[in-house]
């Protein structure tokens, strides 16, 4: 059994700035180590995700004295396959623009675990995170034993979110389901104000089922008797399943129509991509219903046809979420010292077949426009020459034959041709959660079998059964031992080839996106 958690020595805390900062950094690293210890080595498809030991979750809530605070919380609960994080982000931004104190719980994080807990649109501070972590950890340590073990990672994180939001007295708590719905740790909320289902598709099928109907049934597990429910437009099979569950509970399930540009008075959404109009439409429905239920009818949109109230437009246009349709020029290459070099990363954490198509459409469109390229790159842009490069990895639980064909076909349909594909392992396999520690400079042994299999799939898609044997595959794809090596290779080529703009799509895994953001910010 793990020991209880104590703060760094008081003397260190009171020492001069540098020493105190070091002490807190060490304390934070220790916390990340403890969180890592809760990550189960079992595969995600283990029965633990099917609700066994669900009663333990209730026990943890009692230990942490969270029954009353959760019951009082004004929750918006969102499940879905694609866009649930974006929907929650839009909804939070709208309600914050309306003047409410917001708490937003999302997953996964990209660089730091504190990203999962946002207060008034900002990641929780390190100081507050440590305080609430310490409180929850010690309470659970006192009461857990062989019969009641420490909660696994995501359940602990969800319990911590409830503690943070109750202690910080938020007006509204927005909860993004981690996985599924029915047996997700966020589903301990018995009476949310409103529930939402974002776009559904095929993902986590080893856990949620092999048909859209089965997947939708799991997601609909967040519906509650007497609680309003909305959904984004869905495929027929999924909609039938959602409506069936709503009917069993005696609630009406309403479809939230996608927004149109005139609703925003032609302002742009804060999150890029045409698909975000679907998520924004659901967010408007959720925020409007929350306002109505809390007695703020005067703040709601008047109807579905007129432009939205200014607070709604401000919230939707200022929303931000890292790793989704995010454009990051490389500061090392696109610098004043090297005004003619051009290397831009296009980041999207797509990891399901449908989201691969959306990602490909976005990358095709945005690289055609080239409007977002900083002025320092104008000279190299004017030549019109560009290289489109894919930087890809996906988790081994995913089937690349369900991902890469969608990416390639949609790109081709939109007139985009990849000059090269690079396959890399994730950095984060070396990191603790959000830790600043980096991968070993020279890992003793790197298993690249997964990356090589991804390369084989890619080459077969390009060249048919000839695959890697059809041509010199180094002309169309490369495997790198690490992400830093791939980035260094891209930087070297961009600096040596000043007449070419290097446009790199990074996708396949949110872990990969977090890794590259961490490296680009260094």
């Amino acid at each position: 059994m793990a020991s209880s958690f104590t703060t760094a020595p008081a003397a260190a805390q009171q020492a001069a700035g540098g020493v105190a900062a070091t002490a807190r950094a060490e304390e934070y690293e220790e916390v990340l180590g403890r969180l890592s210890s809760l990550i189960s080595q079992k595969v995600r498809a283990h029965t633990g995700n099917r609700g066994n030991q669900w009663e333990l979750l209730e026990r943890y809530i009692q230990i942490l004295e969270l029954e009353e605070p959760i019951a009082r919380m004004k929750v918006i609960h969102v499940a879905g396959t694609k866009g649930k994080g974006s929907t929650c982000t839009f909804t939070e931004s709208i309600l914050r623009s309306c003047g409410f104190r917001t708490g937003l719980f999302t997953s996964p994080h990209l660089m730091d675990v504190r990203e999962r807990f946002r207060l008034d649109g900002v990641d929780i501070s390190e100081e507050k995170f440590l305080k609430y972590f310490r409180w929850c950890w010690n309470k659970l340590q006192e009461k857990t034993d062989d019969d009641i073990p420490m909660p696994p990672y995501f359940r602990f994180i969800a319990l911590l979110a409830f503690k943070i939001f109750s202690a910080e007295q938020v007006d509204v708590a927005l909860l993004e389901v981690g996985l599924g719905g029915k047996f997700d740790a966020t589903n301990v909320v018995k009476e949310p104000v409103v529930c939402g289902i974002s776009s559904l598709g095929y993902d986590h099928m080893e856990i949620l089922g092999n048909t859209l109907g089965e997947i939708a049934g799991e997601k609909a597990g967040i519906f509650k008797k007497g609680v309003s429910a909305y959904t984004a437009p869905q495929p027929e099979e999924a909609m039938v399943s959602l409506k069936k569950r709503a009917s069993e509970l005696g609630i009406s399930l309403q479809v939230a129509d996608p927004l149109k540009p005139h609703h925003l008075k032609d302002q742009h959404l804060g999150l890029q991509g045409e698909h975000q109009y679907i998520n924004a439409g659901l967010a408007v429905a959720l925020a409007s219903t929350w306002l109505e239920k809390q007695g703020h009818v005067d703040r709601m949109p008047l109807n579905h046809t007129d432009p939205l109230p200014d607070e709604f437009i401000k919230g939707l246009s200022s929303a931000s979420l890292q790793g989704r349709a995010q454009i990051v020029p490389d500061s090392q290459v696109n610098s004043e010292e090297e005004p003619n070099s051009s290397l831009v990363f296009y980041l999207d954490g797509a990891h399901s077949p449908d989201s691969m198509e959306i990602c490909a459409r976005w990358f095709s469109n945005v690289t055609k426009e080239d409007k977002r390229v900083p002025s320092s790159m104008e000279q190299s842009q004017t030549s019109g020459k560009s290289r489109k490069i894919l930087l890809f990895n996906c988790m081994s639980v995913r089937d690349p034959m369900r991902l890469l064909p969608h990416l390639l076909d949609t790109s081709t349909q939109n007139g985009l041709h990849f000059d090269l594909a690079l396959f890399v392992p994730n950095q984060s396999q070396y990191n603790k959660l959000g830790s600043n520690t980096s991968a070993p400079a020279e890992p003793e042994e790197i298993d690249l079998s997964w990356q090589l299999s991804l390369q084989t799939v890619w080459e077969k898609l390009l060249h048919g059964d000839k695959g890697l044997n059809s041509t010199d595959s180094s002309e169309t794809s490369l495997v790198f031992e690490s992400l830093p090596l791939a980035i260094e290779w891209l930087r070297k080529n961009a600096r040596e080839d000043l007449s070419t703009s290097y446009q790199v799509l990074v996708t396949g895994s949110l872990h990969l996106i977090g890794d590259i953001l961490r490296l680009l910010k260094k």
Side-chain angles (χ1 to χ4, degrees):
M1 182 167 137
S3 59
S4 64
F5 184 84
T6 55
T7 60
Q13 294 285 359
Q14 293 161 5
V19 179
T22 302
R24 194 159 80 190
E26 288 173 358
E27 185 181 354
Y28 192 61
E29 284 296 312
E30 185 186 349
V31 162
L32 296 178
R34 288 176 185 252
L35 265 179
S36 297
S37 74
L38 300 178
I39 297 176
S40 169
Q41 297 308 307
K42 298 166 187 166
V43 294
R44 287 210 289 188
H46 184 262
T47 52
N49 284 301
R50 301 292 305 171
N52 76 333
Q53 299 188 316
W54 181 255
E55 69 284 351
L56 275 183
L57 200 45
E58 296 288 347
R59 185 74 188 98
Y60 297 137
I61 288 168
Q62 291 165 6
I63 291 169
L64 296 173
E65 300 162 18
L66 286 171
E67 301 109 307
E68 277 300 307
I70 290 173
R72 285 197 304 269
M73 220 172 271
K74 308 300 182 190
V75 169
I76 296 174
H77 201 189
V78 182
T81 307
K82 308 167 302 232
K84 59 184 187 290
S86 300
T87 298
C88 287
T89 300
F90 278 134
T91 311
E92 183 277 333
S93 193
I94 291 169
L95 293 173
R96 180 159 38 90
S97 294
C98 289
F100 296 99
R101 178 154 171 73
T102 60
L104 173 63
F105 177 60
T106 58
S107 60
H109 62 270
L110 297 182
M111 292 183 287
D112 192 304
V113 71
R114 292 181 296 114
E115 295 165 27
R116 294 173 182 251
F117 317 91
R118 297 180 93 178
L119 295 166
D120 292 327
V122 180
D123 298 350
I124 189 172
S125 69
E126 209 167 274
E127 187 180 356
K128 283 184 177 178
F129 177 79
L130 288 171
K131 179 174 82 171
Y132 295 125
F133 175 91
R134 199 182 302 128
W135 190 90
C136 290
W137 183 272
N138 289 345
K139 277 263 187 196
L140 287 165
Q141 281 293 306
E142 288 167 16
K143 303 284 187 181
T144 49
D145 52 31
D146 291 343
D147 293 327
I148 304 176
M150 282 291 281
Y153 173 69
F154 188 78
R155 285 186 177 180
F156 182 90
I157 289 284
L159 293 163
L160 181 56
F162 289 125
K163 176 60 183 175
I164 290 168
F165 296 157
S166 63
E168 291 292 321
Q169 298 181 316
V170 300
D171 297 316
V172 54
L174 296 106
L175 306 179
E176 178 194 356
V177 164
L179 177 64
K182 185 176 181 181
F183 296 122
D184 189 73
T186 59
N187 206 29
V188 296
V189 177
K190 295 182 173 70
E191 290 184 50
V193 176
V194 60
C195 294
I197 306 286
S198 67
S199 301
L200 296 176
Y202 293 100
D203 198 15
H204 302 299
M205 290 153 67
E206 74 281 8
I207 300 167
L208 304 178
N210 291 312
T211 67
L212 272 183
E214 287 176 317
I215 291 168
E218 284 288 325
K219 308 288 185 183
I222 69 166
F223 291 168
K224 305 289 187 300
K225 199 173 183 64
V227 175
S228 300
Y230 289 86
T231 178
Q234 304 288 1
E236 183 62 24
E237 184 186 352
M239 191 64 86
V240 167
S241 188
L242 294 177
K243 284 181 175 174
K244 177 174 179 287
R245 182 61 187 143
S247 173
E248 289 166 1
L249 292 166
I251 58 174
S252 68
L253 175 65
Q254 299 181 63
V255 178
D257 293 326
L259 285 193
K260 294 187 168 58
H262 82 268
H263 287 123
L264 301 162
K265 299 179 182 173
D266 292 322
Q267 286 202 44
H268 291 294
L269 289 171
L271 306 182
Q272 284 197 29
E274 286 301 308
H275 62 291
Q276 293 295 358
Y277 284 93
I278 297 171
N279 299 326
L282 179 56
V284 166
L286 296 172
S288 300
T289 301
W290 189 89
L291 288 167
E292 180 188 12
K293 300 285 185 187
Q294 300 308 305
H296 302 286
V297 182
D298 55 315
R299 318 288 283 276
M300 293 169 56
L302 294 172
N303 52 51
H304 296 298
T305 52
D306 290 342
L308 293 163
D310 289 345
E311 291 94 339
F312 275 63
I313 294 173
K314 181 186 172 191
L316 290 164
S317 61
S318 62
S320 66
L321 185 62
Q322 287 201 111
R324 279 74 164 184
Q326 182 180 3
I327 302 173
V328 183
D330 182 44
S331 58
Q332 283 201 23
V333 169
N334 312 318
S335 62
E336 290 178 9
E337 291 82 37
E338 302 183 64
N340 299 332
S341 302
S342 172
L343 173 60
V344 182
F345 292 93
Y346 297 78
L347 313 180
D348 194 88
H351 52 270
S352 70
D354 293 338
S355 57
M356 279 287 143
E357 293 181 11
I358 291 166
C359 169
R361 279 196 293 274
W362 165 70
F363 183 61
S364 303
N365 292 335
V366 80
T367 51
K368 278 175 198 162
E369 293 169 8
D370 267 341
K371 289 174 184 168
R372 296 184 166 269
V373 178
S375 57
S376 65
M377 290 186 256
E378 279 173 5
Q379 191 170 339
S380 64
Q381 287 299 318
T382 52
S383 69
K385 188 178 166 192
S386 69
R387 288 196 84 191
K388 307 285 193 294
I389 296 173
L390 172 66
L391 181 57
F392 187 91
N393 192 33
C394 65
M395 306 290 278
S396 56
V397 293
R398 310 212 183 272
D399 179 0
M401 280 306 297
R402 293 182 63 82
L403 301 181
L404 289 171
H406 287 267
L407 180 69
L408 191 59
D409 292 349
T410 307
S411 299
T412 304
Q413 288 160 18
N414 284 269
L416 183 136
H417 165 73
F418 284 104
D419 298 287
L420 188 65
L422 312 180
F423 299 98
V424 294
N426 289 351
Q427 274 292 92
S428 47
Q429 63 185 314
Y430 305 110
N431 291 339
K432 285 186 292 188
L433 301 156
S435 157
N436 293 320
T437 56
S438 54
E442 292 183 27
E444 291 175 20
E445 197 175 323
I446 301 171
D447 180 6
L448 293 174
S449 55
W450 179 245
Q451 283 66 43
L452 291 165
S453 67
L454 293 175
Q455 182 187 33
T456 302
V457 169
W458 182 257
E459 291 296 331
K460 279 187 176 173
L461 291 171
L462 292 180
H463 307 298
D465 288 336
K466 293 179 184 175
L468 287 163
N469 301 320
S470 67
T471 177
D472 179 4
S473 66
S474 64
E475 292 178 11
T476 49
S477 64
L478 295 168
V479 170
F480 282 90
E481 285 190 353
S482 72
L483 187 56
L485 287 174
I487 292 174
E488 203 41 60
W489 184 89
L490 287 164
R491 284 172 173 162
K492 178 175 179 287
N493 279 270
R495 286 175 176 133
E496 290 175 357
D497 187 5
L498 298 181
S499 65
T500 301
S501 158
Y502 280 74
Q503 298 170 319
V504 184
L505 174 63
V506 187
T507 191
S509 160
L510 278 166
H511 297 288
L512 177 64
I513 301 297
D515 293 340
I516 200 158
L517 281 169
R518 200 179 283 115
L519 288 166
L520 293 178
K521 286 192 172 185
K522 278 190 177 175

